[in-house]
Amino acid sequence: MFRTALRNVFAHKARLLMTVLAVLLGVAFVSGTLVFTNTISDAYQKSSAKGFDQVDVAIRPERAADSGDSIGKKHELTRSLLDKAARVPGAASAIGVVGGFTAVADKDGKLIGGGFQSQGGNYWGDEDPRYPLTAGRAPHGTGEIAIDAETAKRAGYEVGDTVRLSVDGPVLEPVVTGIFTTDDGNVAAGGSLTLFDTATAQRLFHSAGAYDEIDVKAAPDTSQSELRAALDAVVPKDTASTVTGKKLADDQAEQIAAAMSGMKTGLLVFAGIALFVGTFIIANTFTMLVAQRTKELALLRAVGASRRQVTRSVLIEAFVVGAVAAVGGLAAGIGIGAAMRSLMGTLGATVPDGPLVVSPGTVATALLVGVLITMLAAWLPGRRAAKIPPVAAMSSVHAKATTKSLVLRNTIGALFAAAGVAVVLYATTMDGSDGQAPMGLGAVLLIIGVFVLTPLLSRPLIAAAAPVLRVFGISGNLARQNSVRNPRRTAATASALMIGLTLITGMTVMAGSLQKSIDKMAGSAIRADYVVSMANGNSLSPDVEKKLAATEGVTDTSPLRNAPARIDRETEFLTGVKGAAIGELIDLDATDGSFEVGGTGVVVDSDTAKSHGWKAGSDFKVSYEDGAEETLTVAGVYEANEMIRGIILDNATLSPHEREASDMQVMVKTAGGASAAAKDGLEKALGDNPAIKVQDKQDISDDIAQMFTLILNMLYGLLGMAVVVAVLGVINTLAMSVFERSQEIGMLRAIGLDRRGIKRMVRLESLVISLFGGVLGVGLGVFFGWAAGELLGSRMATYELVLPWGRMAVFLLLAAAVGVLAALWPARRAARLNMLTAIKAE
């Protein structure tokens, strides 16, 4: 039986080629994803480890314990502690580390890096071992800086150039005195690192003589654990703690692995769907191959082969096909991983250098996935063939599915589909994250149900295309009949395209609806023309609001100031605003009481009010950051949204109790409304500060929607993968259909149908099958998009369903294009069949 199975593989190698390609593609994406993510993760981890070469033990400040009536604040590390650390036995040197956000502008005045990735720090002395200089010298004084080599290269800066930058205050214009190399992960990810001398860094980021961290280097004969023990003896336990460099490197490696896991999971989901779609092709191929060899298998049964041996012979064929595809997929995957690594550099993403990582786990996964997927897909056709009695097989009595089997299949499909719809509808009645799991379960059940029912659904849907097909005469009628002749095969072929279009249509519906909802939220909740904030999300200096208020054309301003407080022994954050102006800058109607902020009167969002049992007129006691207590009164309750929520009170009430006043945002209203001139005026009033963003409502909407756009673009990539696999499936089905119908095609040619008519028949059949899958995919996608939107709507009051009719039409045209392209080779092959040879074919 083993020799028989191998003989069949070689005998049908052309027919198995499409199956090999389908499996190869899926395995290539899996192995390519693993190679790419492992390579990037390994490069970052090694780079990160290098960054801790100069740190054997780090001293870090502890946060002061909450006193019950005030919020704890971090202690400061002082110069005296640095000197003590440098003198402990086993310490070779100690460096005081200072750092914080530093926005650097390029030569066009635009921010370099991604906001939070733009960092600043201190250069220790004249030669800092952490940052080897490649050009120039160390910075000294307030007017000098050193910048990393990657930033200098991207922005075109050289030693002697003047750079515009900002920390948290006004714009500075220091001179570049040095360029250095670094293994800092933020720089590798596209950010920037700017270094000042230590005194300047302390003044800019914190206070004179204070450090964020003290890094201690061990003497040659001292281990990290010995040095840490020695430092623990001099470090005050209540203000600071010690940690070894190895622990820091290990923690950093874990963070990198966790950050990469999201990308790896996303890419593997894409690969998994490609494999899932490919499974239909494999099952389809083996079903047809087994059907064509029914008499051969019956003969084997007649001469003594058992059912198990017949099934095993089919599985051996699948094993050989899967192994060949897996090896080819692994090789292609390594190439994909290397290409993706190079592509990141081409697109401007900076990644640390490192070798291509092909781990034993990647090899094992690729081989296992390829072989298992193929064998699982082939098992059912093999088992079905083995169960056919030899006499029935030889006389082809088994050829059509029995009424009983069809009824059973349709009943199972209907039950799954009904259960899926019911669970999805139930999930839409739930609140937010509680409905995610039921929604996912319902979606899986519904897709399975529709897949099982596709043979039943194919007849009425394809019949609906009959009026159009009649236009093409006999070729159109034959194409329609061929499409429904084997509903199971048509269903398996169309399902490959259906799954891809279901996902992409659902996400397109959600993305369009979310974009409109976000626009509506920004437009309805904010009356201000502009919102000013820091590029990295940190707080603004109160001077920003004063400058904006004094700018020509500005009519109203209000800072939004967050401060921690204690309410009912729990930490809550209060939002301070300018009470007299806030009504002109935000548009939130009170559902209970009035939206009036002033004195001890506050307004509270409905969720917060519900959790505390408050309503308009309720009094509650608050303990501020400085420990002072006060009784506040709820003047009104409002409906929160993603932009504004929480307890809002007047800054005149809040500010006296803050340790350090700072604003998260400043809302601005101008006399002439939002315009390019008004925005330019505000930016100039702030000194064209690269650290500060001035955004109108559309900018805010675009910022929030950016994440959804990124996910949608990734899913368009997924659609591309699904389309490639679906094209292979349609080609495979049509090619085998042409082979099976060789005699029929020969007869059609003999009675007068020319080659052009044969080509048209095969192309129309392919088009009908592809459009059938496209209609199912778009329909399911709209349903899932609506259901997911209902779930989001429970947490987003402005959510509104938007159906992207234009894009859905494009998806259907894409399905039609798949059908046309996939039919090119099979149609050509059918038209070139020799008429007499085809008629004599069995």
Side-chain angles (χ1 to χ4, degrees), residues 563-642:
R566 293 277 189 183
I567 300 172
D568 295 339
R569 298 185 180 180
E570 296 288 335
T571 300
E572 295 265 7
F573 278 87
L574 307 175
T575 301
V577 298
K578 188 186 289 185
I582 195 63
E584 297 298 319
L585 298 168
I586 62 176
D587 187 12
L588 293 173
D589 295 327
T591 57
D592 182 21
S594 60
F595 199 93
E596 294 180 6
V597 179
T600 58
V602 302
V603 291
V604 183
D605 72 87
S606 55
D607 291 338
T608 302
K610 184 178 178 182
S611 66
H612 288 283
W614 297 337
K615 58 183 180 180
S618 297
D619 294 331
F620 63 93
K621 188 171 288 187
V622 61
S623 177
Y624 294 109
E625 193 177 5
D626 63 352
E629 291 189 349
E630 188 169 23
T631 299
L632 301 177
T633 302
V634 178
V637 178
Y638 66 93
E639 285 295 333
N641 58 43
E642 297 301 313

Coordinates of all heavy atoms in Angstrom, one line a residue, residues 563-642:
A563 N -5.5 66.1 38.6 CA -4.8 66.0 39.9 C -5.4 64.8 40.7 O -6.6 64.6 40.8 CB -5.0 67.3 40.7
P564 N -4.6 64.0 41.4 CA -5.1 62.9 42.2 C -5.7 63.4 43.5 O -5.3 64.5 44.1 CB -3.8 62.1 42.5 CG -2.7 63.1 42.4 CD -3.1 64.1 41.4
A565 N -6.7 62.7 44.0 CA -7.3 63.0 45.3 C -7.9 61.7 45.9 O -7.9 60.7 45.2 CB -8.4 64.0 45.1
R566 N -8.3 61.8 47.2 CA -8.9 60.7 47.9 C -10.4 60.9 48.0 O -10.8 62.0 48.6 CB -8.3 60.5 49.2 CG -6.8 60.0 49.2 CD -6.8 58.5 49.0 NE -5.4 58.0 49.2 CZ -5.1 56.8 49.0 NH1 -6.0 55.9 48.7 NH2 -3.8 56.4 49.2
I567 N -11.2 60.0 47.6 CA -12.7 60.0 47.8 C -13.1 58.7 48.2 O -12.8 57.7 47.6 CB -13.4 60.4 46.5 CG1 -12.9 61.8 46.0 CG2 -14.9 60.4 46.7 CD1 -13.5 62.2 44.6
D568 N -13.7 58.6 49.4 CA -14.2 57.3 50.0 C -13.0 56.4 50.1 O -13.1 55.2 49.7 CB -15.3 56.7 49.1 CG -16.6 57.5 49.2 OD1 -16.7 58.3 50.1 OD2 -17.4 57.4 48.2
R569 N -11.8 56.9 50.5 CA -10.6 56.1 50.7 C -10.0 55.5 49.4 O -9.1 54.7 49.4 CB -10.8 55.0 51.7 CG -11.2 55.5 53.1 CD -11.3 54.4 54.1 NE -11.6 54.9 55.4 CZ -11.8 54.1 56.5 NH1 -11.6 52.8 56.4 NH2 -12.1 54.6 57.6
E570 N -10.5 55.9 48.3 CA -10.0 55.5 47.0 C -9.4 56.7 46.2 O -9.8 57.8 46.4 CB -11.1 54.9 46.1 CG -11.8 53.6 46.7 CD -10.8 52.4 46.6 OE1 -9.9 52.4 45.8 OE2 -11.0 51.5 47.5
T571 N -8.3 56.4 45.4 CA -7.7 57.4 44.6 C -8.6 57.7 43.4 O -8.9 56.8 42.6 CB -6.3 57.0 44.2 OG1 -5.5 56.8 45.4 CG2 -5.7 58.1 43.4
E572 N -9.0 59.0 43.2 CA -9.7 59.4 42.0 C -8.9 60.6 41.4 O -8.2 61.3 42.1 CB -11.1 59.9 42.4 CG -12.0 58.8 43.0 CD -12.9 58.2 41.9 OE1 -12.7 58.5 40.7 OE2 -13.7 57.4 42.2
F573 N -9.1 60.8 40.1 CA -8.5 62.0 39.5 C -9.5 63.0 39.2 O -10.5 62.8 38.6 CB -7.8 61.6 38.2 CG -6.4 61.0 38.5 CD1 -6.3 59.6 38.7 CD2 -5.3 61.8 38.5 CE1 -5.0 59.1 39.0 CE2 -4.0 61.2 38.7 CZ -3.9 59.9 39.0
L574 N -9.2 64.3 39.7 CA -10.1 65.4 39.4 C -9.6 66.2 38.2 O -8.4 66.2 37.9 CB -10.0 66.4 40.6 CG -10.3 65.7 42.0 CD1 -10.1 66.8 43.1 CD2 -11.7 65.2 42.1
T575 N -10.5 66.7 37.4 CA -10.2 67.5 36.2 C -10.6 69.0 36.5 O -11.7 69.3 36.7 CB -11.0 67.0 35.0 OG1 -10.7 65.6 34.8 CG2 -10.7 67.8 33.8
G576 N -9.5 69.8 36.6 CA -9.7 71.2 36.8 C -9.9 72.0 35.5 O -9.2 71.7 34.5
V577 N -10.8 72.9 35.5 CA -11.1 73.8 34.3 C -11.3 75.2 34.8 O -11.4 75.5 36.0 CB -12.3 73.3 33.5 CG1 -12.1 71.9 33.0 CG2 -13.6 73.4 34.4
K578 N -11.3 76.1 33.8 CA -11.6 77.5 34.1 C -13.2 77.6 34.1 O -13.8 77.6 33.0 CB -11.0 78.5 33.1 CG -11.2 79.9 33.4 CD -10.7 80.8 32.3 CE -9.2 80.8 32.2 NZ -8.7 81.8 31.1
G579 N -13.8 77.7 35.3 CA -15.2 77.6 35.4 C -16.0 78.6 34.6 O -17.0 78.3 34.0
A580 N -15.5 79.8 34.5 CA -16.2 80.9 33.8 C -16.2 80.7 32.3 O -17.1 81.2 31.6 CB -15.6 82.2 34.1
A581 N -15.2 79.9 31.7 CA -15.1 79.8 30.3 C -15.5 78.4 29.8 O -15.7 78.3 28.5 CB -13.7 80.1 29.9
I582 N -15.6 77.4 30.6 CA -15.7 76.0 30.1 C -17.0 75.8 29.3 O -17.1 75.0 28.4 CB -15.6 75.0 31.3 CG1 -15.4 73.6 30.8 CG2 -16.8 75.1 32.2 CD1 -14.1 73.4 30.0
G583 N -18.1 76.5 29.7 CA -19.3 76.4 29.0 C -19.2 76.8 27.5 O -20.0 76.3 26.7
E584 N -18.3 77.7 27.2 CA -18.1 78.1 25.8 C -17.2 77.2 25.0 O -17.1 77.3 23.8 CB -17.5 79.5 25.8 CG -18.4 80.6 26.4 CD -19.7 80.7 25.6 OE1 -19.7 80.7 24.4 OE2 -20.8 80.9 26.2
L585 N -16.5 76.2 25.7 CA -15.5 75.4 25.1 C -15.9 73.9 25.0 O -15.3 73.2 24.1 CB -14.2 75.5 25.9 CG -13.6 76.9 26.0 CD1 -12.5 77.0 27.0 CD2 -13.1 77.4 24.6
I586 N -16.8 73.5 25.8 CA -17.3 72.1 25.7 C -18.8 72.1 25.6 O -19.4 73.0 26.2 CB -16.8 71.1 26.8 CG1 -17.2 71.6 28.2 CG2 -15.3 71.0 26.7 CD1 -16.8 70.7 29.3
D587 N -19.4 71.1 25.0 CA -20.8 71.0 24.8 C -21.3 69.7 25.4 O -21.5 68.7 24.7 CB -21.1 71.1 23.4 CG -22.6 71.2 23.1 OD1 -23.4 71.4 24.1 OD2 -23.1 71.1 21.9
L588 N -21.5 69.7 26.7 CA -22.0 68.5 27.4 C -23.3 68.9 28.2 O -23.2 69.7 29.1 CB -21.0 67.9 28.4 CG -19.7 67.3 27.7 CD1 -18.7 67.0 28.8 CD2 -20.0 66.1 26.9
D589 N -24.4 68.3 27.8 CA -25.6 68.6 28.5 C -25.8 67.8 29.8 O -25.5 66.6 29.8 CB -26.8 68.3 27.6 CG -26.8 69.2 26.4 OD1 -26.4 70.4 26.5 OD2 -27.3 68.7 25.3
A590 N -26.2 68.4 30.8 CA -26.4 67.7 32.1 C -27.7 66.9 32.0 O -28.8 67.4 31.6 CB -26.5 68.7 33.2
T591 N -27.6 65.6 32.4 CA -28.8 64.8 32.5 C -29.5 64.9 33.8 O -30.7 64.5 34.0 CB -28.4 63.3 32.3 OG1 -27.5 62.9 33.3 CG2 -27.8 63.1 30.9
D592 N -28.8 65.5 34.8 CA -29.4 65.8 36.1 C -28.8 67.0 36.7 O -27.6 67.1 36.7 CB -29.1 64.5 37.0 CG -29.8 64.7 38.4 OD1 -30.7 65.5 38.5 OD2 -29.3 64.0 39.3
G593 N -29.6 68.0 37.0 CA -29.0 69.3 37.5 C -28.6 70.2 36.4 O -29.2 70.1 35.3
S594 N -27.5 70.9 36.6 CA -27.0 71.9 35.6 C -25.5 71.8 35.4 O -24.8 71.3 36.3 CB -27.4 73.3 36.0 OG -26.8 73.6 37.2
F595 N -25.0 72.1 34.2 CA -23.6 72.1 33.9 C -23.0 73.4 34.3 O -22.6 74.2 33.5 CB -23.4 71.7 32.4 CG -22.0 71.2 32.2 CD1 -21.7 69.8 32.1 CD2 -20.9 72.1 32.0 CE1 -20.5 69.3 31.9 CE2 -19.6 71.6 31.7 CZ -19.4 70.2 31.7
E596 N -22.8 73.6 35.6 CA -22.2 74.8 36.1 C -21.1 74.5 37.1 O -21.3 73.7 38.0 CB -23.3 75.6 36.9 CG -24.4 76.2 36.0 CD -25.4 77.0 36.8 OE1 -25.1 77.2 38.0 OE2 -26.4 77.4 36.2
V597 N -19.9 75.0 36.7 CA -18.7 74.7 37.5 C -18.2 76.0 38.2 O -17.9 77.0 37.5 CB -17.6 74.1 36.6 CG1 -16.3 73.8 37.4 CG2 -18.1 72.8 35.9
G598 N -18.0 76.0 39.5 CA -17.6 77.1 40.2 C -17.6 76.9 41.7 O -18.5 76.3 42.2
G599 N -16.6 77.5 42.4 CA -16.6 77.3 43.8 C -16.5 75.9 44.2 O -15.6 75.2 43.7
T600 N -17.3 75.4 45.1 CA -17.3 74.0 45.5 C -18.3 73.2 44.7 O -18.5 72.0 45.0 CB -17.6 73.9 47.0 OG1 -18.9 74.4 47.2 CG2 -16.6 74.5 47.8
G601 N -18.9 73.8 43.6 CA -19.8 73.0 42.8 C -19.1 72.3 41.7 O -18.2 72.9 41.0
V602 N -19.4 71.0 41.5 CA -18.7 70.2 40.5 C -19.7 69.5 39.6 O -20.9 69.4 40.0 CB -17.8 69.2 41.1 CG1 -16.7 69.8 42.0 CG2 -18.6 68.1 41.9
V603 N -19.3 69.0 38.4 CA -20.1 68.2 37.6 C -19.4 66.8 37.4 O -18.2 66.8 37.4 CB -20.4 68.8 36.2 CG1 -21.3 70.0 36.3 CG2 -19.1 69.1 35.5
V604 N -20.2 65.8 37.4 CA -19.7 64.4 37.4 C -20.3 63.6 36.3 O -21.5 63.8 36.0 CB -20.0 63.8 38.8 CG1 -19.4 62.4 38.9 CG2 -19.6 64.6 39.9
D605 N -19.5 62.7 35.6 CA -20.1 61.9 34.6 C -21.0 60.8 35.2 O -20.8 60.5 36.4 CB -19.0 61.2 33.7 CG -18.2 60.2 34.5 OD1 -18.7 59.0 34.4 OD2 -17.2 60.5 35.1
S606 N -21.9 60.3 34.4 CA -23.0 59.4 35.0 C -22.4 58.1 35.6 O -22.9 57.6 36.6 CB -24.0 59.1 33.9 OG -23.3 58.5 32.7
D607 N -21.3 57.6 35.0 CA -20.7 56.3 35.5 C -20.1 56.6 36.9 O -20.3 55.7 37.8 CB -19.6 55.8 34.6 CG -20.2 55.3 33.3 OD1 -21.4 54.9 33.2 OD2 -19.5 55.2 32.3
T608 N -19.4 57.7 37.0 CA -18.8 58.0 38.4 C -19.9 58.2 39.4 O -19.8 57.8 40.5 CB -17.9 59.2 38.3 OG1 -16.9 58.9 37.3 CG2 -17.2 59.5 39.6
A609 N -20.9 59.0 39.0 CA -22.1 59.3 39.9 C -22.7 58.0 40.3 O -23.1 57.8 41.5 CB -23.1 60.2 39.2
K610 N -22.9 57.1 39.4 CA -23.6 55.8 39.7 C -22.8 55.0 40.7 O -23.3 54.4 41.6 CB -23.8 55.0 38.4 CG -24.6 53.7 38.6 CD -24.9 53.1 37.2 CE -25.6 51.7 37.4 NZ -25.8 51.0 36.1
S611 N -21.4 54.9 40.4 CA -20.6 54.1 41.3 C -20.5 54.6 42.7 O -20.4 53.9 43.7 CB -19.1 54.1 40.7 OG -18.5 55.3 40.8
H612 N -20.7 56.0 42.9 CA -20.7 56.5 44.3 C -22.1 56.8 44.8 O -22.2 57.2 46.0 CB -19.9 57.8 44.3 CG -18.5 57.7 44.1 ND1 -17.6 57.3 45.1 CD2 -17.7 57.9 43.0 CE1 -16.4 57.3 44.7 NE2 -16.4 57.6 43.4
G613 N -23.1 56.6 44.0 CA -24.5 56.8 44.5 C -24.8 58.3 44.6 O -25.6 58.7 45.4
W614 N -24.2 59.1 43.7 CA -24.4 60.6 43.7 C -25.5 61.0 42.7 O -25.8 60.3 41.8 CB -23.2 61.3 43.3 CG -22.0 61.1 44.3 CD1 -22.1 60.8 45.6 CD2 -20.6 61.3 43.9 NE1 -20.8 60.7 46.1 CE2 -19.9 61.0 45.1 CE3 -19.9 61.7 42.8 CZ2 -18.5 61.1 45.2 CZ3 -18.6 61.8 42.9 CH2 -17.8 61.5 44.0
K615 N -26.1 62.2 43.0 CA -27.1 62.8 42.1 C -26.9 64.3 42.3 O -26.2 64.8 43.2 CB -28.5 62.3 42.3 CG -29.0 62.6 43.7 CD -30.4 62.1 43.9 CE -30.9 62.3 45.4 NZ -32.2 61.8 45.6
A616 N -27.6 65.1 41.5 CA -27.5 66.5 41.6 C -27.9 67.0 43.0 O -28.9 66.5 43.6 CB -28.4 67.2 40.6
G617 N -27.0 67.7 43.7 CA -27.3 68.2 45.1 C -26.5 67.3 46.1 O -26.5 67.7 47.3
S618 N -25.9 66.2 45.7 CA -25.2 65.4 46.7 C -23.9 66.0 47.1 O -23.2 66.7 46.3 CB -24.9 64.0 46.0 OG -26.0 63.3 45.7
D619 N -23.6 65.9 48.4 CA -22.3 66.4 48.9 C -21.3 65.2 49.1 O -21.8 64.1 49.5 CB -22.5 67.1 50.2 CG -23.3 68.4 50.0 OD1 -23.2 69.0 48.9 OD2 -24.0 68.8 51.0
F620 N -20.0 65.4 48.9 CA -19.0 64.4 49.2 C -17.8 65.1 49.6 O -17.5 66.2 49.3 CB -18.8 63.5 48.0 CG -18.2 64.2 46.8 CD1 -16.8 64.2 46.6 CD2 -19.0 64.8 45.8 CE1 -16.3 64.8 45.5 CE2 -18.5 65.4 44.7 CZ -17.1 65.4 44.5
K621 N -17.0 64.4 50.4 CA -15.8 64.9 51.0 C -14.6 64.4 50.1 O -14.5 63.3 49.8 CB -15.6 64.4 52.4 CG -14.4 65.1 53.2 CD -14.4 64.8 54.6 CE -15.6 65.5 55.4 NZ -15.5 65.3 56.8
V622 N -13.7 65.4 49.8 CA -12.5 65.0 49.0 C -11.2 65.4 49.8 O -11.2 66.4 50.5 CB -12.5 65.8 47.7 CG1 -12.6 67.3 47.9 CG2 -11.3 65.4 46.8
S623 N -10.2 64.6 49.7 CA -8.9 64.9 50.3 C -7.9 65.1 49.2 O -7.6 64.2 48.4 CB -8.4 63.7 51.2 OG -7.2 63.9 51.7
Y624 N -7.4 66.4 49.1 CA -6.6 66.8 48.0 C -5.1 66.2 48.2 O -4.8 65.6 49.2 CB -6.5 68.3 47.9 CG -7.8 68.9 47.5 CD1 -8.5 69.7 48.5 CD2 -8.3 68.8 46.2 CE1 -9.7 70.3 48.1 CE2 -9.5 69.4 45.9 CZ -10.2 70.2 46.8 OH -11.4 70.7 46.5
E625 N -4.3 66.5 47.2 CA -3.0 66.0 47.1 C -2.1 66.5 48.3 O -1.2 65.8 48.8 CB -2.3 66.5 45.8 CG -1.0 65.8 45.4 CD -0.5 66.3 44.1 OE1 -1.1 67.2 43.5 OE2 0.5 65.7 43.6
D626 N -2.4 67.7 48.8 CA -1.6 68.2 49.9 C -2.2 67.8 51.3 O -1.7 68.2 52.3 CB -1.6 69.7 49.8 CG -3.0 70.4 50.0 OD1 -4.0 69.6 50.0 OD2 -3.1 71.6 50.1
G627 N -3.3 67.0 51.3 CA -3.8 66.5 52.5 C -5.0 67.3 53.0 O -5.7 66.8 54.0
A628 N -5.2 68.4 52.4 CA -6.4 69.3 52.9 C -7.7 68.6 52.5 O -7.8 67.9 51.4 CB -6.3 70.7 52.3
E629 N -8.7 68.8 53.3 CA -10.0 68.2 53.0 C -11.0 69.3 52.7 O -10.9 70.4 53.2 CB -10.5 67.3 54.2 CG -9.7 66.1 54.4 CD -10.4 65.1 55.4 OE1 -11.3 65.6 56.1 OE2 -9.9 64.0 55.5
E630 N -12.0 69.0 51.8 CA -13.1 69.9 51.5 C -14.3 69.2 51.1 O -14.3 68.0 50.6 CB -12.6 70.8 50.3 CG -13.6 72.0 50.1 CD -12.9 73.0 49.1 OE1 -12.0 72.6 48.4 OE2 -13.4 74.2 49.1
T631 N -15.5 69.8 51.3 CA -16.8 69.2 50.9 C -17.2 69.8 49.6 O -17.3 71.1 49.5 CB -17.8 69.4 52.0 OG1 -17.4 68.7 53.2 CG2 -19.2 68.8 51.5
L632 N -17.4 69.0 48.6 CA -17.9 69.5 47.2 C -19.3 69.1 47.0 O -19.8 68.1 47.6 CB -17.0 68.9 46.1 CG -15.5 69.2 46.2 CD1 -14.7 68.5 45.1 CD2 -15.2 70.7 46.2
T633 N -20.0 69.8 46.2 CA -21.4 69.6 45.9 C -21.6 69.2 44.4 O -21.0 69.9 43.5 CB -22.3 70.8 46.2 OG1 -22.1 71.1 47.6 CG2 -23.7 70.5 45.9
V634 N -22.3 68.2 44.1 CA -22.6 67.8 42.7 C -23.6 68.8 42.1 O -24.8 68.7 42.5 CB -23.1 66.3 42.6 CG1 -23.4 66.0 41.1 CG2 -22.0 65.4 43.1
A635 N -23.2 69.6 41.2 CA -24.2 70.6 40.6 C -24.9 69.9 39.4 O -26.1 70.3 39.1 CB -23.4 71.8 40.1
G636 N -24.3 68.9 38.8 CA -24.9 68.3 37.7 C -24.2 67.0 37.3 O -23.1 66.7 37.7
V637 N -25.0 66.1 36.6 CA -24.5 64.8 36.1 C -24.6 64.9 34.6 O -25.6 65.2 34.0 CB -25.3 63.7 36.7 CG1 -24.7 62.3 36.1 CG2 -25.2 63.7 38.2
Y638 N -23.5 64.5 33.9 CA -23.5 64.5 32.4 C -23.1 63.1 31.9 O -22.5 62.3 32.6 CB -22.5 65.6 31.9 CG -21.0 65.3 32.2 CD1 -20.2 64.6 31.3 CD2 -20.5 65.7 33.4 CE1 -18.9 64.4 31.6 CE2 -19.2 65.4 33.7 CZ -18.4 64.8 32.8 OH -17.1 64.5 33.1
E639 N -23.4 62.9 30.6 CA -23.0 61.6 29.9 C -21.5 61.8 29.4 O -21.2 62.7 28.6 CB -23.9 61.3 28.7 CG -25.3 60.8 29.2 CD -25.2 59.5 29.8 OE1 -24.3 58.7 29.5 OE2 -26.1 59.2 30.7
A640 N -20.7 60.9 29.8 CA -19.3 61.0 29.4 C -19.1 60.4 28.0 O -20.0 59.7 27.5 CB -18.4 60.1 30.4
N641 N -18.0 60.8 27.4 CA -17.6 60.2 26.1 C -16.1 59.9 26.2 O -15.5 60.1 27.2 CB -17.9 61.1 24.9 CG -17.3 62.4 25.0 OD1 -16.2 62.6 25.4 ND2 -18.1 63.5 24.7
E642 N -15.5 59.4 25.1 CA -14.1 59.1 25.1 C -13.2 60.3 25.3 O -12.0 60.1 25.6 CB -13.7 58.4 23.8 CG -14.5 57.1 23.5 CD -14.2 56.0 24.6 OE1 -13.1 55.8 25.0 OE2 -15.2 55.5 25.1

